[in-house]
Amino acid sequence: MKVIVCGAGQVGSNIARYLASEGNNVTVIDHSPELIQRISDTLDVQAMVGHASHPDVLEAAGAGETDMIIAVTQIDEINMVACEVAHALFKVPTKIARVRNQSYLKPIWADLFSRDHMPIDVIISPEIAVARAIARRLQVPGAFDMIPLADGKVRVVGVLCTETCPVLHTPLRQLTGLFPDLGLEVVAIIRNDRSFIPGGDDQMLPGDEVYFACDNRHLNRAMAAFGHEEVEARRIIILGGGNIGLCLAEELEAKYPHVTARIIEMNRSRAQFVAQRLSRTMVLHGDGLDPEILEEANVRATETVVAVTNDDEGNILSSLLAKRHGAKRAITLINKASYTSLVSPLGIDAVVSPRAITVSNILQHVRRGRIRAVHSLRDGFAEVIEAEALETSAVVNTPLREVKLPSGVIVGAIVRGDEVIIPRPATVIRPKDRVIILATAGQVKKVEKMFAVRLEFF
């Protein structure tokens, strides 16, 4: 597949890295010579300096033979025009654009991106996606990550194993005997910055970060099995009233009426604007690093503080300060990947990466075969994939013990109608099953082919 990526920032470079590692023909365009030089030095892609919306630049990038354009520059208008030019002049089949300004995304203007006006196939809004990801984490206190799949019937959850975890030092194959009626499968372990897919003889150790797939109806029991029985947050402080903070507050007001939220925003005019947009959320003008403001927000009675300003260091410090003054839990937005592994030992409970969330959203539309959902884990170590099994798929009608799954691939759950099946060696995947799989980065293309109509690949 030939792909043009417009924008060589964090999101664009990560998308280019993913696609290039899988053998796709990738061209990256950016107006910054420094970013293009960095891409050229680190990735096996074509990289060119230029304005991604200019027809001559797209032509030089090979737009006439391109299967997909992914426009993720920092400027919405460039992303939209690049997709429009790619459609009108070069007939590019699939066009994906990142759009951050919420004004473009209001339902009243939904017709803007239609085939007759500005034909963009997929609009990615990082602010909305990040807000929803945070709201999902709030649903499962004690988890540092939570991914709903198969219309919410399955959850893939990330938890930290502390010294009090009841299943420490237990071979994973024994979990079925210990919890015979609990639908749960451990699919990944992260230990000392090393990530791996465990086997039946592997054990969980203190400090491990563990991802497991489970039947949503068993989620509370599964969390208890890992020693996490925290109460769902009803009082929340949001540090930062930018687009993400506002989107999160709107999400909470719309879908979580039992939650009381307060926003602390440093910029007075922005605080006034946010207050006008919200009906149930109190907005305070002040600095999240000011203990007096935290006290005014009643931090001592707060279950969760969510730091979502544009300053990574400020988010980290304000989260730690809020916990010191009584907040039970901290969810912190961090853009710099190098910080991710440092903050957990400091006492931050969950990290949110806008870059990783945006990449996951884009990959969902890049993947081939009958792929319904894709979520990237831990800077690309693996992907959680929801795939639909077709009659012609290579994995159907055969016991899993006889299916030659590639190394680095594990089946976490199977959904058949309303039934959630935790796989065992004798389990058979049937046509139309929705299969939840974790695949390491190098094996994703094989998973795509396993769940594709075979004629597509011959």
Side-chain angles (χ1 to χ4, degrees):
M1 182 167 62
K2 179 170 176 54
V3 183
I4 294 176
V5 178
C6 303
Q10 289 189 354
V11 172
S13 60
N14 273 273
I15 285 292
R17 176 169 59 83
Y18 270 88
L19 297 177
S21 69
E22 296 169 1
N24 295 290
N25 182 348
V26 180
T27 300
V28 180
I29 305 170
D30 198 285
H31 70 277
S32 167
E34 293 80 11
L35 290 178
I36 288 299
Q37 185 62 50
R38 185 184 306 168
I39 287 279
S40 298
D41 293 342
T42 57
L43 300 180
D44 184 19
V45 301
Q46 301 178 58
M48 55 186 296
V49 177
H51 289 275
S53 58
H54 291 183
D56 56 336
V57 173
L58 289 174
E59 182 181 40
E65 299 80 37
T66 291
D67 301 295
M68 177 181 296
I69 183 170
I70 302 172
V72 289
T73 75
Q74 296 294 326
I75 301 174
D76 292 349
E77 291 74 17
I78 290 178
N79 296 336
M80 293 188 288
V81 172
C83 289
E84 171 69 18
V85 172
H87 170 81
L89 299 183
F90 303 106
K91 311 302 181 189
V92 176
T94 304
K95 300 158 288 291
I96 300 175
R98 177 172 65 176
V99 177
R100 308 184 71 168
N101 191 315
Q102 299 302 298
S103 175
Y104 289 119
L105 304 176
K106 291 181 179 179
I108 192 174
W109 314 126
D111 200 37
L112 174 62
F113 302 109
S114 68
R115 178 67 56 176
D116 294 331
H117 295 102
M118 190 174 292
I120 300 174
D121 301 290
V122 180
I123 297 291
I124 302 294
S125 170
E127 286 77 11
I128 293 175
V130 170
R132 289 175 178 170
I134 294 171
R136 292 197 301 266
R137 285 164 171 79
L138 292 172
Q139 288 180 308
V140 189
F144 63 79
D145 201 357
M146 196 281 282
I147 302 166
L149 297 161
D151 299 324
K153 296 182 178 70
V154 173
R155 305 290 176 110
V156 174
V157 181
V159 294
L160 175 66
C161 290
T162 66
E163 294 282 357
T164 60
C165 176
V167 291
L168 288 179
H169 308 294
T170 302
L172 296 184
R173 67 174 72 257
Q174 294 183 14
L175 292 182
T176 303
L178 292 172
F179 308 101
D181 59 344
L182 180 59
L184 179 151
E185 179 80 1
V186 175
V187 294
I189 295 176
I190 302 166
R191 179 177 298 156
N192 299 325
D193 294 331
R194 184 178 73 89
S195 307
F196 62 95
I197 293 179
D201 295 324
D202 283 307
Q203 304 177 17
M204 290 170 286
L205 304 179
D208 283 355
E209 295 179 0
V210 175
Y211 278 94
F212 65 84
C214 78
D215 185 331
N216 184 52
R217 293 169 295 188
H218 300 174
L219 181 56
N220 289 337
R221 291 175 55 216
M223 292 296 292
F226 285 89
H228 289 282
E229 298 183 85
E230 294 88 342
V231 178
E232 183 176 352
R234 293 181 176 271
R235 293 175 293 273
I236 295 169
I237 294 176
I238 301 170
L239 303 176
N243 286 337
I244 293 175
L246 176 58
C247 286
L248 175 57
E250 290 176 333
E251 180 88 358
L252 295 176
E253 287 193 350
K255 299 180 181 179
Y256 304 90
H258 61 284
V259 172
T260 300
R262 292 178 169 85
I263 293 179
I264 298 176
E265 166 57 39
M266 184 180 294
N267 182 282
R268 180 180 293 277
S269 61
R270 178 67 185 181
Q272 292 172 342
F273 171 80
V274 171
Q276 292 169 358
R277 289 279 298 270
L278 300 170
S279 58
R280 293 194 298 108
T281 304
M282 177 186 293
V283 180
L284 301 175
H285 170 236
D287 186 351
L289 288 169
D290 183 347
E292 292 185 3
I293 290 292
L294 292 175
E295 289 299 327
E296 185 178 347
N298 199 15
V299 68
R300 295 183 186 278
T302 297
E303 286 96 357
T304 303
V305 61
V306 183
V308 290
T309 74
N310 291 322
D311 179 11
D312 285 1
E313 293 81 2
N315 288 339
I316 294 169
L317 292 174
S318 58
S319 296
L320 297 175
L321 185 64
K323 289 196 70 172
R324 183 173 183 179
H325 283 267
K328 308 297 186 296
R329 191 163 182 262
I331 299 176
T332 306
L333 184 147
I334 294 178
N335 286 289
K336 297 176 183 176
S338 58
Y339 286 177
T340 303
S341 61
L342 302 177
V343 295
S344 180
L346 295 175
I348 288 173
D349 302 279
V351 171
V352 176
S353 168
R355 173 177 50 82
I357 292 168
T358 305
V359 168
S360 292
N361 284 347
I362 292 172
L363 286 176
Q364 182 171 331
H365 303 283
V366 170
R367 295 290 173 226
R368 293 184 168 182
R370 296 303 291 268
I371 305 298
R372 287 174 171 263
V374 176
H375 295 268
S376 176
L377 300 183
R378 292 301 290 261
D379 293 321
F381 144 64
E383 293 178 22
V384 176
I385 299 170
E386 177 188 337
E388 180 182 350
L390 303 178
E391 187 71 49
T392 57
S393 298
V395 297
V396 301
N397 300 324
T398 304
L400 283 177
R401 69 165 67 92
E402 299 177 20
V403 176
K404 295 181 179 179
L405 291 175
S407 174
V409 174
I410 185 172
V411 177
I414 299 167
V415 178
R416 185 173 299 154
D418 291 329
E419 181 186 10
V420 176
I421 302 166
I422 299 302
R424 301 293 176 243
T427 302
V428 176
I429 297 173
R430 303 296 185 192
K432 297 185 179 180
D433 283 353
R434 292 162 76 169
V435 186
I436 311 305
I437 294 171
L438 185 137
T440 54
Q443 304 297 338
V444 172
K445 294 295 284 186
K446 295 179 181 178
V447 172
E448 289 183 12
K449 291 185 178 182
M450 288 166 57
F451 287 89
V453 178
R454 293 176 183 174
L455 291 178
E456 291 179 357
F457 296 92
F458 292 92

